[in-house]
Amino acid sequence: MQLTPFRSLIDQYEIILFDSYGVIKNYDGIIGGAEKTLEYIHQHQKKYRVLTNDASSSPERLSDKFIKNGIQILPHRIITSGMMARNFLETKTISGKVLY
């Protein structure tokens, strides 16, 4: 298997999506190298978003957690599964009761 360094790929994309759990953090905190990767992206002014299945927390709360753990991810860069479900329900024609 051939591995390609991440830094050599970022210029090929307009926006980069990161999964929060397993890529930026895990059960033990921030994953080593995540800080440097995001610093590099900031320096090169690349757009990115962090995706998470955590529907129980707002982007503001998740951002606070990242910042307390030493990594600068602002709320406008976080997309939660709850946000996506809400968007879907608001923009699609659905009749009846919905449980999610």
Side-chain angles (χ1 to χ4, degrees):
M1 173 187 346
Q2 180 181 354
L3 298 178
T4 304
F6 178 74
R7 289 183 179 187
S8 69
L9 296 173
I10 68 167
D11 288 333
Q12 297 176 34
Y13 299 92
E14 191 172 324
I15 188 165
I16 301 164
L17 303 176
F18 292 101
D19 188 6
S20 176
Y21 196 82
V23 176
I24 295 178
K25 68 176 184 170
N26 62 20
Y27 68 94
D28 201 28
I30 301 299
I31 294 174
E35 303 99 330
K36 289 183 181 183
T37 298
L38 290 175
E39 284 175 19
Y40 183 85
I41 288 172
H42 286 154
Q43 289 171 352
H44 289 84
Q45 300 177 341
K46 294 298 292 185
K47 295 177 187 174
Y48 73 94
R49 296 294 180 268
V50 176
L51 309 176
T52 177
N53 287 329
D54 186 349
S56 65
S57 298
S58 68
E60 291 77 16
R61 185 170 177 206
L62 294 169
S63 174
D64 288 344
K65 288 180 185 179
F66 280 122
I67 291 169
K68 286 178 185 174
N69 284 293
I71 195 161
Q72 182 81 10
I73 301 175
L74 299 178
H76 72 278
R77 298 188 189 281
I78 298 173
I79 301 171
T80 70
S81 58
M83 292 167 63
M84 297 305 296
R86 181 178 180 172
N87 183 347
F88 176 83
L89 293 172
E90 289 175 346
T91 60
K92 301 297 179 189
T93 304
I94 297 176
S95 61
K97 295 180 181 180
V98 176
L99 173 68
Y100 77 98

